[in-house]
Amino acid sequence: MTQQLGSGRTTGAESIWYLLGCIALGAAYFAKVPAKKALSEYGLVTLTGAEKFWYLVMNIGFGSGYLVKVITKKALSEVSQTRHPLG
């Protein structure tokens, strides 16, 4: 059985909260970048030029982008090891 990630859609409320999070100094956008980097290492998405730039900037300070990416990548590695209880 092949597993797939979700449909990639957000609800209307989630879209609004993400937009509000981005308005607050880009906090939601910056939180998304390391997770998207982890997904890109699995070949699921491609980072934009801006995302590559901000990921690099996050890592110059204290490696915060890398540390968040590691956590996300660990969670993704467990997706392929589990089966959905209904599937």
Side-chain angles (χ1 to χ4, degrees), residues 1-56:
M1 178 179 154
T2 303
Q3 289 189 338
Q4 297 178 0
L5 291 175
S7 65
R9 296 185 182 126
T10 56
T11 65
E14 290 168 338
S15 296
I16 290 169
W17 284 112
Y18 178 75
L19 176 64
L20 291 174
C22 287
I23 291 171
L25 300 174
Y29 177 80
F30 291 125
K32 176 189 77 165
V33 171
K36 194 165 176 189
K37 174 65 175 167
L39 290 169
S40 75
E41 291 183 3
Y42 278 97
L44 299 171
V45 297
T46 302
L47 294 176
T48 65
E51 290 164 338
K52 290 177 185 175
F53 170 77
W54 286 114
Y55 181 72
L56 176 66

Side-chain angles (χ1 to χ4, degrees), residues 37-38 41-42 68-78:
K37 174 65 175 167
E41 291 183 3
Y42 278 97
V68 173
K69 180 202 73 162
V70 168
I71 294 166
T72 304
K73 200 167 176 183
K74 173 63 177 156
L76 289 170
S77 74
E78 294 173 3

